[in-house]
Amino acid sequence: LADGLDLRTERAVAAIEPHPAGGWALRCHDAGSPPEPFDVVVVALPAEQVAPLLAPATALAAALRGVRSAPTW
């Protein structure tokens, strides 16, 4: 399914922010690593957990802060 894609996994992301050239920049917890630009970012977390990561994207973060997940156990 991901053939031909530049897929990055197992990275601790500190922030997801709009990239000046378009797309998104990911700031990782790796000390000294520059933000990495991406066209698309897939986030598989509940809204409550991803909203802080998207704080630099204020409109999107604000929309997510209003979402409440229901447990599904």
Side-chain angles (χ1 to χ4, degrees):
L1 187 61
D3 286 345
L5 297 177
D6 181 12
L7 184 64
R8 316 266 179 106
T9 62
E10 299 183 28
R11 299 294 304 266
V13 175
I16 302 169
E17 54 197 32
H19 192 273
W24 299 95
L26 271 59
R27 291 191 183 274
C28 295
H29 286 290
D30 303 349
S33 69
E36 297 183 46
F38 293 92
D39 295 327
V40 176
V41 176
V42 176
V43 180
L45 297 170
E48 298 90 345
Q49 292 176 349
V50 77
L53 293 176
L54 286 166
T58 55
L60 187 53
L64 289 173
R65 279 195 283 283
V67 174
R68 295 292 169 248
S69 300
T72 57
W73 45 63

